[in-house]
Structures are given as C-alpha cells and as structure tokens.
Amino acid sequence: STQSTGHHSCKMSSEFSFVFVPADVSMPLVEWTQEQPEGQEVECLTQRLQAHFRETTTTSAASKAALLTQLQSQLPAGTAVTDEMMEAVSAMQLVESLPLQSGRKVNGYVHVNLYCDDSGTAKGLPKNARASAISEQAGIPRSVNGDAFIGRLVDDGQDEFKRMDFKLSEVSADADWMQAARAHNLQKDADGQIDQMKQLAGPGAQVITPGSGGNSTEGVVMDEEVPEDHGSLTWTQDADEIEVRVLCPPTTKTKDISCKITAKMISLSIGTLDTPEVLGGKLYTQVDADDTNWSIENCGGDRLVRITMAKGQTGQSWDTLMQE
C-alpha cells in the first residue's frame, strides 16, 4: 500500500471552494465558492471573510472594554484613548489564519488553513465547538470563537500562490489531508516522557534519549519556548528541522515581513519593530532552501513569526543558529 502525504492534486481554476463552519451548531456546514481573479489570489478570500465577520458580529460592552485595555497597553504612558481612535480600531476587521496542514516540500507546499475572526475572543463570540474539534483532530488543540472557514492554498513562499478547492466531503477524520496533518503536527509533541528534560535545556540544546549519540539529534523534541520581548527570538531543533520564533507587536501583518533563505544564508526584517533587521548572515550549516517556510500567528496579545527550515543533513545537531 502507498502512504498518503496529504498532497491534493485537484486542478487549479479561477473559482475555488471552501467550507463554512458556523459557530451555531444547529446550522449545517456549507461548501461555498469564490471567484479568484488573476492578481487577487490573496485578497479574494480575505475580503469576503472580512465582510462576513463585519455583517454577523456585534461589539459588546465587554468587547469595548477589552479593546480599550489593549489600546492603552500599546500607547505611550499617559496617552488618552479618544472616541475616534476606538471607532477606527473597531472598524478594522482582521481575519486570523490558523494552520491545520503546513505546506512543505513533501506535500507540494499545500496548506490547509482555518480562518476565523481575529477579535473573536474580545468580541465575546461563542466557542465554535466543531471548528475547535477539527483543529484538535488535526493535532493542534485550540479554542476557536465565532464562525470559521476552512480553505486550501498552494504557497511555496516564493513565486507560487494559488487558492485551491477544499470540499465539504474533506471535513472528515479519514480524509488524506487530515491524517497527514495530524501525523506531522503530533510528531512535534511526541516523546512526552522527556518533557522534564526539555525544560532544563536552553534554546537549541539537545535532549538525548538512552542509546543516542551526543552529536546526534535522534530523540530531540522541539521545545515551545516563546520570546519574551518584541524583536527577541528563540530557536529550537529536532532531527529534521530548525524552527525560529520572533515576537512582534500586535499590529504586525504579513506585508511587514521580509524573509529570504538560501542554503547557507538567512535574512529577516520586520517593519513594525524598532530595529527592523532581526537576522542577517550565515546559518550554522546548510539547510534545504526548497523546504523552508514562515508564518505569522497570534501569541497572547502579540504576534509571533515562526520560521521552519529543513536541515541539509538530517540528524545533525546544530550548536548555534548563526555563524559568528
């Protein structure tokens, strides 16, 4: 038998389908379609979801209080939050993209994402039990609030970006993409018996299981350490990959990020930071430049940029992230 990688080989077209997952459990899941004009591959879906969230959600008193607190934390001490500022921020409607299946070289850079209201929690939206269960089934437990959508796209991080069909029939624990996503996502959470050892290890440090050599990463599990300050980073590794995490201000969007990776070099700049250049120079050793990707996600009240790079030599332990 052959093992599925979760790669979806459907033919790309100017129209694609995606799935609506209502927060109201009395409503059925529905397959929607959307035109994909050339040159508008990104915004064609984002704008439709923004319109949906604007039309179907209201801002409660609790939401306004949470928004006021958030604004005050981002402004210089003593700065007054005006009604105009509150109205401007309230009018903004952001769509949060939560990865279910990450696009990698092995699956043709096909991503499956869960989309929801970026301010769902602050707005006091109800928990979406079905969307939360779908995410957990994919190996990423998280609580989703408000209506949600599931879509598929191809994004190699360079030149190719195209939205593809995601069918209602694929919302199933038996679907090929779900099984592949779950296997990959749970791999990073495996070997729970060495969690205590992981806590003692610093960023990039090895966690060696009995029988493995000191210069090997066999048995190493990536930690989940998150940077504490804006612009600071942590990095970790397992046998196959290097992962870099950078904490950013909550206003950071995809357009603010420039990330370029070759076999031996990396450059990363984030426009919302006081010092935009975060990384620049030679990596510790070679990576597979064709199997690298980055994403941005919510992290508490901030944003987190996550970069994943496949090691050029599987199993090799990196002593540092960059050459001095």
Side-chain angles (χ1 to χ4, degrees), residues 29 134 137 150 166-179:
L29 274 63
I134 290 168
Q137 183 64 39
I150 305 175
F166 186 89
K167 298 291 188 179
L168 182 59
S169 61
E170 296 183 85
V171 184
S172 165
D174 298 326
D176 287 348
W177 77 268
M178 176 69 85
Q179 294 186 18

Side-chain angles (χ1 to χ4, degrees), residues 9-70:
S9 58
C10 68
K11 183 178 180 181
M12 297 182 186
S13 67
S14 60
E15 186 179 82
F16 63 93
S17 58
F18 59 104
V19 172
F20 173 41
V21 185
D24 184 348
V25 294
S26 68
M27 297 175 60
L29 274 63
V30 182
E31 186 175 305
W32 289 9
T33 59
Q34 173 66 40
E35 288 293 329
Q36 183 171 204
E38 186 174 353
Q40 298 180 32
E41 291 83 0
V42 176
E43 59 266 37
C44 64
L45 179 61
T46 303
Q47 291 175 354
R48 182 167 182 185
L49 300 189
Q50 287 174 329
H52 172 84
F53 293 137
R54 275 195 298 265
E55 293 167 2
T56 59
T57 63
T58 58
T59 304
S60 64
S63 168
K64 291 179 180 177
L67 182 60
L68 176 61
T69 301
Q70 183 180 14

Side-chain angles (χ1 to χ4, degrees), residues 239-297:
D240 302 312
E241 296 178 334
I242 297 292
E243 186 169 291
V244 180
R245 304 165 191 144
V246 184
L247 195 66
C248 307
T251 54
T252 306
K253 300 180 176 62
T254 301
K255 65 181 179 63
D256 299 314
I257 300 165
S258 174
C259 182
K260 298 179 181 179
I261 302 171
T262 65
K264 298 180 180 180
M265 305 282 290
I266 183 172
S267 67
L268 171 67
S269 62
I270 302 173
T272 54
L273 297 174
D274 292 338
T275 304
E277 184 176 349
V278 180
L279 287 171
K282 291 185 177 181
L283 292 162
Y284 175 74
T285 188
Q286 191 163 321
V287 298
D288 182 352
D290 292 330
D291 197 1
T292 64
N293 62 77
W294 65 269
S295 61
I296 183 168
E297 60 196 61

Side-chain angles (χ1 to χ4, degrees), residues 66-118:
L67 182 60
L68 176 61
T69 301
Q70 183 180 14
L71 277 174
Q72 289 174 332
S73 69
Q74 296 171 17
L75 294 171
T79 303
V81 177
T82 65
D83 291 340
E84 290 77 11
M85 293 169 64
M86 288 286 289
E87 289 177 7
V89 175
S90 297
M92 293 174 60
Q93 177 61 62
L94 300 179
V95 177
E96 183 174 10
S97 175
L98 305 171
L100 296 177
Q101 174 181 283
S102 298
R104 298 174 292 128
K105 186 177 181 179
V106 69
N107 69 357
Y109 300 104
V110 176
H111 305 250
V112 176
N113 294 332
L114 183 71
Y115 302 96
C116 60
D117 189 328
D118 184 71

